[in-house]
Amino acid sequence: MTENEEFIFESIFNQVRMGFVSVSEIKDNIIEEIEDNGFEDEISEEWASEIIDKEYNTLKSESQNWNRPTDTEKLIEAFDELCKENIIALHNAGFENSDGEYEVSEVEKALNKQKIASYGYCFYHEQDLSRAVSIENPSLFISFQRINNTDGNVTLEVGRKIAKVLAEKGLDVEWDEDISQKILIKNFKWQYLYYEDERDLQDYNDVIELIINKELPKEGSKFASDFYLETDEIDNNNPTWTDINTAIEGLKYDEEEPSFIVLDLKEPIHNIMYIQAIINEDNSFDIELRAGTKDDFKHYRYNLKDRNIIVENLKKLYHRENLDYSTWADVTTEFLEP
């Protein structure tokens, strides 16, 4: 690559890896960046588009093998918990510190209208995030403070609270309680893939909602992780394997409302969109899965007596292993519109 191509490639790499905007938005951003820098004669839109598609597909492939929970998922959980404890915690808050402080002040104004004042705040910005997507020695700095505060002891308590929650989520926190320094999360790998229906981490209305009501609004994506567990009794947007196994063990027949379990996938795994099981009147089970896409799919069903086979299949899928459903009945026609 030429020096200018390397410059544009770095921008593509960062935008794809950060995962905050769609591929089409990245393409628009990059075209604008090429034009703003006067690179049109050297770098074509076709070259940029191919690189963007390639980088996104590479990241999508890598995501199938990420260790769960990822550092990013741990951070999201930590920030949500901090919001519930009255600390404004913002993801990707602008390009630099002053941008983050502005966004914090806007959230604080909205809270003040509800007669609420935050205990403190924390955020990371785009420059911080660029270090976290780096291949070598990734890390993430977290800024913190309390709005309109000049008391060092108050700042220290806010920092301690934030560092404690981050560490409790399993992140490698380094901070010597120097209030003039940001909190460092060492060895932090930002692993995040853009999905159109994914929760928007930069929708700070969610932050306000968490602080006021201690929970996210109901609308929007149902996924908080790669899996969504639904049964006749519960909905769980971030299930552990123990949650899923417990739901399988709880399958029981009721004439009015038989038990069922559905494990929905945010993105297909080995082409599988979701897998489900229901208990029948004779205490047998029907296990079904759908493979393909929303508009082009196959639906398969298998009747069995052994509950352990359900456990085996859902456990394999949860751990991203291949399922053998070659002997299952193809019942796709039952789900096609006439």
Side-chain angles (χ1 to χ4, degrees):
M1 291 186 191
T2 66
E3 182 178 348
N4 291 338
E5 285 175 336
E6 288 180 354
F7 176 82
I8 293 298
F9 175 81
E10 182 179 357
S11 181
I12 291 171
F13 180 88
N14 285 344
Q15 290 186 55
V16 170
R17 294 272 163 174
M18 289 175 184
F20 282 97
V21 293
S22 68
V23 167
S24 62
E25 289 176 289
I26 294 173
K27 289 181 178 180
D28 289 340
N29 293 342
I30 292 299
I31 289 170
E32 184 177 346
E33 191 170 350
I34 290 171
E35 293 173 348
D36 288 346
N37 284 279
F39 296 160
E40 304 99 310
D41 293 339
E42 179 182 347
I43 302 175
S44 67
E45 291 184 15
E46 291 77 11
W47 179 87
S49 180
E50 288 177 6
I51 294 294
I52 292 166
D53 289 336
K54 180 181 177 181
E55 288 302 309
Y56 180 80
N57 289 330
T58 296
L59 182 63
K60 188 174 183 179
S61 177
E62 289 176 9
S63 71
Q64 298 293 322
N65 298 310
W66 287 344
N67 293 324
R68 305 287 179 167
T70 64
D71 288 343
T72 309
E73 289 165 345
K74 294 174 185 177
L75 182 69
I76 292 170
E77 285 189 15
F79 271 30
D80 284 354
E81 183 172 323
L82 288 166
C83 288
K84 293 175 184 177
E85 298 188 20
N86 208 31
I87 293 176
I88 298 170
L90 303 184
H91 294 279
N92 200 27
F95 183 72
E96 58 187 11
N97 256 49
S98 59
D99 297 326
E101 290 164 358
Y102 170 78
E103 296 294 349
V104 166
S105 68
E106 290 299 296
V107 173
E108 184 75 9
K109 289 177 186 177
L111 293 173
N112 292 166
K113 289 179 181 179
Q114 302 294 324
K115 302 189 183 305
I116 296 173
S118 66
Y119 175 77
Y121 66 79
C122 65
F123 63 83
Y124 60 90
H125 50 64
E126 187 176 324
Q127 291 184 71
D128 297 318
L129 193 54
S130 65
R131 300 183 187 95
V133 300
S134 174
I135 300 299
E136 296 183 3
N137 304 315
S139 62
L140 185 68
F141 282 103
I142 306 294
S143 300
F144 65 95
Q145 184 50 280
R146 180 186 290 184
I147 286 181
N148 298 326
N149 171 60
T150 57
D151 187 332
N153 290 326
V154 171
T155 306
L156 180 60
E157 288 306 310
V158 172
R160 283 173 173 169
K161 178 62 180 176
I162 294 165
K164 179 174 181 289
V165 171
L166 293 171
E168 286 175 346
K169 295 301 178 181
L171 296 168
D172 187 3
V173 175
E174 182 178 279
W175 182 58
D176 62 3
E177 300 195 347
D178 181 347
I179 62 173
S180 68
Q181 299 296 316
K182 295 181 179 182
I183 296 169
L184 171 63
I185 307 177
K186 296 193 301 179
N187 306 311
F188 182 94
K189 294 181 180 179
W190 179 267
Q191 293 175 317
Y192 195 67
L193 185 65
Y194 176 86
Y195 295 113
E196 185 176 355
D197 295 328
E198 179 64 77
R199 168 187 170 189
D200 183 359
L201 297 179
Q202 290 180 286
D203 183 353
Y204 299 148
N205 288 320
D206 283 356
V207 172
I208 296 167
E209 190 78 19
L210 279 167
I211 291 174
I212 295 174
N213 298 318
K214 310 308 177 189
E215 63 179 7
L216 288 168
K218 300 300 182 184
E219 63 270 19
S221 173
K222 67 182 183 179
F223 291 95
S225 68
D226 284 348
F227 300 95
Y228 187 94
L229 174 66
E230 179 183 357
T231 76
D232 52 303
E233 295 181 344
I234 65 162
D235 292 279
N236 186 335
N237 66 358
N238 191 17
T240 64
W241 168 246
T242 300
D243 295 328
I244 298 168
N245 195 35
T246 299
I248 297 171
E249 292 175 354
L251 287 170
K252 59 185 183 300
Y253 183 75
D254 182 298
E255 185 175 356
E256 295 184 358
E257 191 175 2
S259 292
F260 68 88
I261 174 174
V262 180
L263 187 62
D264 203 358
L265 281 62
K266 183 168 67 176
E267 282 287 301
I269 295 176
H270 302 302
N271 209 36
I272 296 173
M273 301 165 63
Y274 66 81
I275 190 167
Q276 64 186 37
I278 189 169
I279 189 168
N280 301 311
E281 185 175 5
D282 63 357
N283 284 323
S284 68
F285 303 92
D286 283 334
I287 183 170
E288 303 181 11
L289 66 79
R290 182 165 294 188
T293 66
K294 180 180 178 181
D295 299 319
D296 183 16
F297 63 84
K298 291 287 187 179
H299 199 100
Y300 299 92
R301 180 181 299 139
Y302 183 60
N303 181 262
L304 60 149
K305 292 285 189 181
D306 188 351
R307 191 184 302 254
N308 289 328
I309 295 178
I310 301 175
V311 173
E312 178 185 337
N313 279 277
L314 269 71
K315 188 173 185 179
K316 281 185 176 181
L317 190 59
Y318 186 79
H319 292 292
R320 296 171 173 76
E321 299 175 9
N322 276 307
L323 300 189
D324 181 7
Y325 49 93
S326 58
T327 60
W328 297 21
D330 184 344
V331 294
T332 308
T333 54
E334 294 181 16
F335 301 90
L336 299 178
E337 295 182 3

